[in-house]
Amino acid sequence: MSLSNRDVAHIFQAIADSMEILGEDRFRILAYRRASDAIGDLPLPLADYQARHALEDIPGIGKTIAEKIGVLLDTGTLPLYERLKSQIPAGVLDLLRVPEIGPRTAKRLYDELGIASLDDLRAMVDAGRLREVKGFGAKTEQRIRQGLEMLSQREQRVLMPHAMSTAETLIAALREVFVDLRVTAVGSLRRACPTVGDLDLLAAQDDTAAVVQAFIALPQVAEVLMSGVMKASVVLHSGLQADLLVVPPPQWGSALQHFTGSQAHNIRLRELALERGLSFSEHGFRQADGTLMTCADETQVYATLGLPWIPPELREDRGEFAAARSGTLPNLITLADLRGDLHMHSTWSDGRASIAQMAATAHALGREYITITDHSAYLGVTGGVDAARLRDQAAEIAALNAEYAARGEAFRILHGVEVDITPDGSLALPDAALADLDLVVASLHVSLRQPRDQITARLLQAIANPHVDIIAHPTGRILERREGADLDLEVVFQAAAANGTLLEINSNPERLDLDALHARRALELGVTLVVNSDAHHPDELNQLRYGILTARRAWASAAQVANTWPVEQVLKHCASSVI
Ligand code: DGT
Ligand code: CA
Ligand code: CA
Ligand code: ZN
C-alpha cells in the first residue's frame, strides 16, 4: 500500500514541526512546510507525478524535496523522518495542535515534565502540575487548559483558498466530461466563510446520474462515501470531503438557494414561504394543492417571497431579511472597487521581493497606488527599518516614483511603515521618524496575551498617536490556531471612529482580521475600514480577493473602505487625522 498525498503532507508537516522544536534552520523548516501545503493542494496522487518525472514541476517543491518524496513513495519511509521521530516522539508534535502551545513550550513540557502526548498534558493540567515548570504560573496553565478545550471543540476545517482551488479543479475536471456543464460551488464556500468544513458542488443536467458517475470517477477522488441518482459524497486525496448535488435544469434556482445555506438563513426562508402557504425545498415551492413551482434561477426564489435577491455573503440570518424587505440591503464592495493596497512588505524587512518587484506586480494588477510598509526593527524581525534605513528607503521609493512619472504612468508608491506597538503601548519608532512618512500602519505582534484592560489601553494609545493612520490585523487571531487578543473592541472601534484611524481587514487567508462580524460592528460605529494584502511576495498581492469577501460578509460598501478612494483622498484623510 503506497502512501497517499495526505500521508506525505503529514510526514513533511511532522518533519517541519520536529525541526522547529529542535530549533533547526528556519529556511529548511519553511521548505518542508511549503512542500506539505503544496502536496495538500494537489489534484492527483503523487505517484502520478512521480511516474511522469514531474515531482519537481510542482510549485513549492524543489529538487531536494522531490527526491525525498521519491524515497517515501518507493520505500514508505525516510531516514530523516526516522531520525527526528527518535528525538521527538509523535505525541509531542500533537501538543502543537493546542492553540497557545508553540515549539518552545512543547519542548519544555517534554524536557521538564516528560509530557509526550495530549493525554499526558490533560493529566498534568488536571493535577495542577504545569506550575512546576519555571516561569509557567497559574495563568499559563489556565491558557493551556482553554487551548485544550478549543482543540476538542473544533472539527477539522480547511481555509478558503484551499477550498476554492479544489472547487475550481473539480469543476474544470467535470467540464472536461460535460462541456459547458452548469456547475458551481455552494455551501459555506459560496457564502465566503473563512473556513470550510466540506466542499459542496451543485450541477444542473437532465441526465443527473451521468454527472454523478463522472464525478465519482474523477482521479481526485480517493473514496466514495455515498452515491445515488442525484448526489454523491466523496473524500478527495487531499482529505477534504466533497458533496455533489445534480438537479434537472428547471430546478437550478431552488437547488442553488437551498444548497448555499446557511442553515439558519434557510430556516427563516422556509418560514416566510409557509406564511404564504408554500413549502420550499431544493425542488422548488410546493403549493397547498400539491403543485410544484420550480425556480430556474435564484432571483425567482426570493421574488416569490416578495424579496430582492440577497447576496450569498449575507445569508447568515443576521438581519438580511429585514434589510431585503425594507429595501436597505447594502451595495456590497467588489474587488474591482479597490484602487490601492496600503500594507505590504519588501526585502527591506521580511518580504521576499524588492520594492520595484512588488510595485510592478501591483501596477500590472491594476492598482493605482500601494504603500510599502516594512516592519520596524524590533525584537525578532530580521532587517527591519529604523529611522536611518527609512530615509534610505524613501530615496529608493522616490526614484521609482520618478520612473513611473517619466513613463507617464499614474501609479504611485507611498512610503509607510508597519510599526510595532510595544508591550507598554509606545511605538517602536520615534515620532520624528514617523512624521516624514505618507502613512503609518501600527500593529500588535508581541505580548498578545496581556489582560483585557492592559491590551485595550495599549491599542488605544496607538490609535491616539497622531501619526498612526491604520491599525493592521487588529486582534492578532490566526485561523484554527490562535484566538485574537482579549480586546474591548467596542471601545477600540469608538476610538478609531473618533480619531479617523482606519481599521484593517487583513487579507492573509490565515488572518482575515478583523473578521466579518467585528468589521460590521466597526462600520456601525462609524469606523472606516481598509482591505490590505499584507503581501510578503508579489504572488500574495492577489490575497485581496479574500479580504474583499470578508468585507462583503461585513456588509461593507465601497465608500466605507478607504483604499477604494483616489490616492489624494487617502493622503488627505491620513494627513487630517493628525490632531
Ligand atoms: P460547512 O460545510 O461546515 O463549512 O458549512 P456548510 O454551510 O457548507 O454546511 P453543509 O455542507 O452541511 O451544507 C451545505 C448547505 O446545504 C447548508 O448551508 C444548507 C443546506 N443543507 C444541508 N443539509 C441540510 C439540512 O439537513 N437541513 C437544512 N436546513 N439545510 C441543509
Ligand atoms: Ca459544506
Ligand atoms: Ca456538505
Ligand atoms: Zn505586515
Side-chain angles (χ1 to χ4, degrees):
M1 181 62 202
S2 69
L3 295 174
S4 70
N5 291 7
R6 205 176 172 182
D7 297 332
V8 176
H10 181 81
I11 288 171
F12 283 171
Q13 201 63 49
I15 289 175
D17 285 344
S18 307
M19 286 176 154
E20 201 156 3
I21 289 175
L22 294 167
E24 294 192 11
D25 180 69
R26 212 160 61 84
F27 290 98
R28 274 186 81 200
I29 295 170
L30 204 61
Y32 282 101
R33 288 217 192 285
R34 215 175 288 145
S36 177
D37 289 347
I39 293 164
D41 281 339
L42 286 181
L44 301 175
L46 277 167
D48 285 21
Y49 296 88
Q50 186 190 31
R52 286 184 283 116
H53 303 284
L55 285 171
E56 263 187 72
D57 300 339
I58 301 169
I61 292 182
K63 191 168 179 324
T64 316
I65 302 269
E67 279 167 16
K68 296 220 153 67
I69 295 172
V71 175
L72 270 171
L73 293 177
D74 293 341
T75 69
T77 183
L78 195 66
L80 168 71
Y81 181 49
E82 296 302 320
R83 179 173 62 76
L84 288 169
K85 269 202 296 196
S86 70
Q87 286 172 278
I88 306 283
V92 176
L93 302 186
D94 286 340
L95 302 182
L96 297 176
R97 288 168 42 209
V98 181
E100 309 296 339
I101 296 188
R104 241 175 306 165
T105 306
K107 185 160 189 336
R108 294 188 64 193
L109 291 170
Y110 176 53
D111 286 347
E112 296 181 35
L113 291 173
I115 294 177
S117 70
L118 286 172
D119 284 341
D120 288 356
L121 180 64
R122 275 190 202 99
M124 288 288 190
V125 168
D126 289 342
R129 288 197 50 200
L130 290 199
R131 284 164 235 202
E132 290 171 20
V133 178
K134 193 157 164 283
F136 259 35
K139 252 189 288 173
T140 312
E141 190 169 280
Q142 175 61 10
R143 275 205 332 256
I144 291 179
R145 187 195 305 279
Q146 285 166 353
L148 278 167
E149 279 163 21
M150 245 177 94
L151 181 68
S152 59
Q153 280 164 14
R154 119 187 143 202
E155 342 143 54
Q156 275 303 336
R157 299 180 66 84
V158 303
L159 298 184
M160 200 188 327
H162 175 66
M164 269 186 192
S165 67
T166 305
E168 282 160 14
T169 308
L170 293 177
I171 287 172
L174 281 173
R175 286 197 179 128
E176 287 198 0
V177 187
F178 300 94
V179 182
D180 293 337
L181 180 70
R182 195 165 192 193
V183 53
T184 187
V186 284
S188 49
L189 184 56
R190 182 159 182 250
R191 302 198 311 279
C193 296
T195 65
V196 164
D198 71 1
L199 198 62
D200 303 291
L201 297 177
L202 174 71
Q205 166 100 348
D206 287 321
D207 187 354
T208 60
V211 181
V212 172
Q213 286 310 309
F215 178 66
I216 62 175
L218 291 179
Q220 287 84 353
V221 172
E223 189 190 341
V224 179
L225 299 175
M226 181 281 286
S227 85
V229 182
M230 294 181 72
K231 48 180 139 181
S233 272
V234 303
V235 180
L236 305 171
H237 288 299
S238 64
L240 185 62
Q241 185 181 321
D243 295 344
L244 172 74
L245 174 68
V246 193
V247 296
Q251 295 183 13
W252 173 262
S254 49
L256 183 60
Q257 196 294 321
H258 168 82
F259 212 16
T260 297
S262 66
Q263 204 149 324
H265 176 90
N266 287 0
I267 288 169
R268 290 278 299 121
L269 184 127
R270 278 199 300 272
E271 284 170 5
L272 293 177
L274 284 175
E275 287 170 15
R276 291 166 185 255
L278 299 168
S279 88
F280 181 74
S281 75
E282 62 265 47
H283 306 296
F285 291 96
R286 201 166 290 280
Q287 288 166 308
D289 65 4
T291 45
L292 184 70
M293 278 166 30
T294 57
C295 300
D297 64 44
E298 226 179 20
T299 311
Q300 222 179 314
V301 175
Y302 290 96
T304 303
L305 302 173
L307 298 172
W309 180 79
I310 299 175
E313 295 92 336
L314 305 187
R315 298 185 195 170
E316 301 291 347
D317 191 23
R318 291 180 188 146
E320 68 274 21
F321 286 105
R325 224 178 350 250
S326 61
T328 54
L329 282 171
N331 185 9
L332 295 179
I333 185 172
T334 68
L335 188 57
D337 290 322
L338 287 190
R339 293 170 186 259
D341 185 348
L342 300 175
H343 176 180
M344 68 185 66
H345 300 268
S346 74
T347 45
W348 285 79
S349 63
D350 60 351
R352 289 183 285 127
S354 66
I355 297 176
Q357 287 168 319
M358 295 301 284
T361 303
H363 182 47
L365 287 169
R367 313 273 178 265
E368 296 172 17
Y369 55 92
I370 59 170
T371 313
I372 298 293
T373 53
D374 276 305
H375 289 283
S376 53
Y378 182 67
L379 292 182
V381 179
T382 37
V385 289
D386 55 16
R389 294 193 81 222
L390 277 172
R391 280 191 296 274
D392 295 344
Q393 199 182 35
E396 181 175 326
I397 288 174
L400 285 166
N401 277 327
E403 286 176 29
Y404 279 102
R407 288 196 297 267
E409 286 163 336
F411 179 73
R412 177 95 179 262
I413 308 169
L414 305 179
H415 190 201
V417 73
E418 180 175 8
V419 62
D420 275 287
I421 305 169
T422 71
D424 70 11
S426 62
L427 300 178
L429 283 167
D431 283 355
L434 304 177
D436 294 335
L437 299 167
D438 293 316
L439 194 149
V440 173
V441 174
S443 46
L444 298 167
H445 288 118
V446 296
S447 301
L448 285 174
R449 294 293 152 230
Q450 287 174 336
R452 189 177 178 88
D453 288 350
Q454 196 181 350
I455 197 156
T456 303
R458 191 173 154 202
L459 203 51
L460 292 178
Q461 193 178 331
I463 288 171
N465 183 309
H467 297 294
V468 171
D469 303 300
I470 296 175
I471 302 294
H473 45 72
T475 76
R477 71 128 170 210
I478 305 285
L479 277 161
E480 303 288 285
R481 276 200 289 135
R482 184 173 83 197
E483 303 249 289
D486 184 13
L487 288 162
D488 185 343
L489 285 172
E490 283 287 302
V491 174
V492 168
F493 295 160
Q494 282 157 2
N499 275 283
T501 308
L502 306 170
L503 297 185
E504 182 180 75
I505 292 179
N506 187 290
S507 301
N508 178 330
E510 295 191 353
R511 290 192 182 268
L512 298 177
D513 177 15
L514 295 172
D515 71 18
L517 273 178
H518 290 149
R520 185 172 172 198
R521 181 63 185 150
L523 290 174
E524 283 168 359
L525 292 175
V527 169
T528 302
L529 299 172
V530 272
V531 177
N532 290 329
S533 71
D534 195 4
H536 286 65
H537 186 278
D539 290 349
E540 292 173 358
L541 290 165
N542 261 328
Q543 286 180 168
L544 285 176
R545 65 197 281 218
Y546 312 120
I548 282 292
L549 287 169
T550 303
R552 289 170 64 86
R553 283 177 61 79
W555 294 50
S557 59
Q560 294 174 305
V561 175
N563 48 322
T564 66
W565 304 343
V567 66
E568 295 78 21
Q569 191 182 342
V570 172
L571 287 171
K572 189 160 164 256
H573 179 91
C574 293
S576 65
S577 62
V578 176
I579 303 158

